[in-house]
Amino acid sequence: MIRVGLTGGIGAGKSTVARVFADRGAYLIDADVIAREVVAPGTDGLAQLVAEFGDDILDADGALDRPALAARAFVDEDSRKRLNGITHPLVGARTWELLQAAPDDAVVVQDIPLLVEGGMAAWFHLVVIVHADIGTRLARLTEQRGMDRDDALARIRSQADDEQRRAVADVWLDNSGSAEDLAVAAASLWDDRLVPFEAHVRARTVATPSVPSVGADTDADTVATRVVNRVRAVVGDAARGVERGPGAGVEVVVTVADAAAGEALTDTLADGGFPRAGSQGGEQVHGSADPGRPATVRVVPGA
């Protein structure tokens, strides 16, 4: 199993990519769908919101009136925190339930609008960003969705900017053209990279680099930082340190207490996308299961 984080600014077109992935067999988890599900009529989530913000947040049918909730919950930071304190744990719990139910060979695609803003990128095997310039997104939001221009622009500006997205993007899908062009690119990504990536993770095999990183930043420092952050998230407190190594290309050094601690990380790293390739000079050597991102991870017993 691998987990793919899918995101992009409002109006960028990530829904098109999500549909392509789902049609090709992705196990799709949509954060927006879950957010609506956990506060649907009859749920504990809706009851908690009513208790916190009052009956005025309900419409005539007893369902959540989202503009009414926004009028009460976004007036100040304290109100926003109270709202998030109710909804975020519910969304997290439901997401975890869905993850636990995913098949062992799944390519799990998590469609998360605020993935970058929430600092979640390192927790995925791979992050796909769908991009379109602001002018294109404004046109789509106003002409296709009927949004007020100022409201659309405010929502765009409230989200992460291109530089922040590029920093975490393993794949950058440009959607400045047609929806058909985007769908073709997404299908190619699925067939050529995501499916082989998952197969390598499940088989515990290092991939032979064979797929170019679609539109992603190939600057060595940026890629290395991204991989270091991902390895750090994978190993957690089991390592004494995770740093960029001195080797050529993308190399990460994981320092552990002793050889036994290193051995204990073998499956953890493999599940995270870095299966073991062998040993060298008392160190464990791991490689990348991603055919589009070669990397070496060395597990080194500390002094």
Side-chain angles (χ1 to χ4, degrees), residues 22 43 57 85 89 180 192 213-214 298 300:
T43 61
I57 65 169
E180 290 75 16
D192 299 338
S213 297
V214 182
R298 295 192 292 117
V300 182

Side-chain angles (χ1 to χ4, degrees), residues 6-299:
L6 172 64
T7 192
I10 183 173
K14 66 181 176 61
S15 296
T16 297
V17 176
R19 283 195 297 271
V20 171
F21 288 167
D23 288 345
R24 297 178 98 78
Y27 184 92
L28 184 63
I29 300 177
D30 189 321
D32 280 344
V33 171
I34 294 174
R36 292 191 294 270
E37 178 185 301
V38 298
V39 294
T43 61
D44 179 60
L46 184 58
Q48 290 185 54
L49 290 178
V50 170
E52 187 65 44
F53 296 103
D55 292 335
D56 291 344
I57 65 169
L58 299 177
D59 63 20
D61 296 322
L64 181 64
D65 184 331
R66 293 185 178 276
L69 175 63
R72 289 177 175 266
F74 293 98
V75 293
D76 54 43
E77 189 60 25
D78 178 65
S79 297
R80 188 192 306 266
K81 287 181 178 179
R82 287 188 286 130
L83 171 64
N84 291 341
I86 293 171
T87 58
H88 286 187
L90 295 171
V91 171
R94 180 56 180 154
T95 300
W96 180 248
E97 288 178 1
L98 292 172
L99 283 171
Q100 292 298 103
D104 291 341
D105 62 348
V107 176
V108 178
V109 175
Q110 292 182 240
D111 183 339
I112 306 176
L114 301 181
L115 183 152
V116 178
E117 294 83 346
M120 294 178 270
W123 301 100
F124 296 92
H125 289 83
L126 185 140
V127 171
V128 178
I129 303 288
V130 184
H131 169 75
D133 61 57
I134 290 180
T136 300
R137 292 161 63 193
L138 270 177
R140 289 172 181 160
L141 294 172
T142 55
E143 296 170 13
Q144 298 176 16
R145 299 193 194 179
M147 290 181 64
D148 175 78
R149 187 182 186 281
D150 289 341
D151 180 40
L153 191 58
R155 292 187 64 176
I156 288 173
R157 289 173 173 168
S158 72
Q159 296 181 337
D161 59 28
D162 290 350
E163 182 178 354
Q164 291 169 314
R165 292 194 179 101
R166 280 196 178 276
V168 302
D170 298 296
V171 177
W172 185 268
L173 293 179
D174 190 287
N175 187 26
S176 298
S178 68
E180 290 75 16
D181 290 340
L182 180 63
V184 169
S188 177
L189 171 62
W190 177 270
D191 294 341
D192 299 338
R193 187 170 180 182
L194 299 186
V195 170
F197 190 175
E198 190 284 324
H200 284 299
V201 168
R202 192 159 28 93
R204 300 290 200 261
T205 55
V206 176
T208 299
S210 59
V211 182
S213 297
V214 182
D217 192 337
T218 55
D219 173 74
D221 290 338
T222 301
V223 176
T225 298
R226 194 182 303 141
V227 176
V228 166
N229 290 340
R230 187 159 286 138
V231 173
R232 188 175 289 133
V234 168
V235 301
D237 294 336
R240 288 183 172 180
V242 179
E243 305 293 339
R244 184 178 180 183
V250 177
E251 181 184 83
V252 181
V253 176
V254 178
T255 305
V256 293
D258 50 36
E263 289 290 342
L265 282 178
T266 297
D267 285 342
T268 300
L269 282 166
D271 288 339
F274 303 97
R276 189 167 180 171
S279 300
Q280 185 175 18
E283 301 174 359
Q284 290 176 210
V285 180
H286 294 248
S288 174
D290 180 359
R293 185 194 56 213
T296 300
V297 178
R298 295 192 292 117
V299 181

